[in-house]
Every structure is written in C-alpha cells, then in structure tokens.
Amino acid sequence: MRPAPEHPNALRRRSILLASAAGLFWFYFLCALSAALLCVIDVSPLYDASAALLSLALSCLLAGFLCGKRLRRRGIQNGLLCGLLTCVMIRLSAAVILTTPDLLPAPIQPLLALTAGAIGGIFGVNTKNRYLSR
C-alpha cells in the first residue's frame, strides 16, 4: 500500500527547521573560525562584533537559500521565517551557554537576520536546479 501523501505545511515546517538548523551550524562554525583567527592574529576588539555580524548574515543567507531551494516558492516569506528562526535559535543557545547573551547589538541582529534570510530565499527560489533540468 502507498503511504498517505504528506501535508504541504508539514513539508514547509520541516524545510524551515532543517534550513534553520543548518544556518545555526554554519553560524557556530564561522564564529569558531573567526575565534581561531583571533587567537592567531592580534586585532582590535571591533573585529569581534563585525565577525559575529558577518557570520550571522552568511548563516541566515544560507538558511534562506536552502529553504527556498527546497520549497521552490514563496522565497521572501520562507526566507524571513528561516532568518527569524535562526536568530531566535542563536539567542536561545547564547542565553543557555553564556552568562551574558547579548553579544550583538539587539536591533541590528534581527534586522540583519531577516534581510539576509529573505535575500537567501529569493536566490534559492530563482536559481536553476541543474540536477532536475537534465
């Protein structure tokens, strides 16, 4: 017997969660990479905040791109949700791990995450899938 077809909202939720988890993984990977670079090279403390903002933007861009690539529609909306969920997951994990969770300026972080997620979602929807076009 064939299994029952999956509800479209379940696919959307799963795609957003998986893309946000991938974004969270890349955020921590990029932060660890910048911390290793910070140990090797002596730079100003301004580098900490800029490296964190850059890794946040890249991880939300990747999360939006993966979600848009998988769902192939509503890139802005799904990218915004991925960026928001990634930002919330970063805030919650920082609150659990650190004693001072406010490492990034509060109004800049969500705006940057939402913008990068939306741009990634647009790119994900509009790029061609070269594996399906063969």
Side-chain angles (χ1 to χ4, degrees):
M1 247 176 105
R2 290 177 55 191
E6 191 172 3
H7 196 271
N9 283 338
L11 176 67
R12 182 176 181 218
R13 280 184 296 227
R14 187 178 326 126
S15 295
I16 289 172
L17 283 174
L18 287 175
S20 297
L24 183 69
F25 169 76
W26 280 106
F27 174 76
Y28 284 123
F29 176 75
L30 291 172
C31 281
L33 194 66
S34 67
L37 183 68
L38 193 70
C39 289
V40 173
I41 301 171
D42 188 28
V43 293
S44 70
L46 182 62
Y47 176 76
D48 293 340
S50 62
L53 286 175
L54 180 66
S55 57
L56 174 72
L58 289 176
S59 63
C60 288
L61 187 77
L62 177 76
F65 179 79
L66 291 176
C67 187
K69 193 67 149 165
R70 183 175 167 113
L71 293 177
R72 304 299 298 169
R73 59 189 163 93
R74 292 191 218 154
I76 294 175
Q77 187 179 31
N78 293 329
L80 284 172
L81 286 174
C82 282
L84 181 68
L85 188 60
T86 303
C87 183
V88 167
M89 288 168 46
I90 288 169
R91 285 281 184 162
L92 288 177
S93 62
V96 169
I97 294 171
L98 303 173
T99 56
T100 57
D102 200 10
L103 293 177
L104 299 175
I108 294 174
Q109 183 184 10
L111 289 175
L112 183 66
L114 290 173
T115 305
I119 291 171
I122 292 169
F123 281 150
V125 168
N126 291 328
T127 54
K128 290 185 180 181
N129 195 352
R130 61 181 163 188
Y131 300 113
L132 294 178
S133 62
R134 289 183 185 179

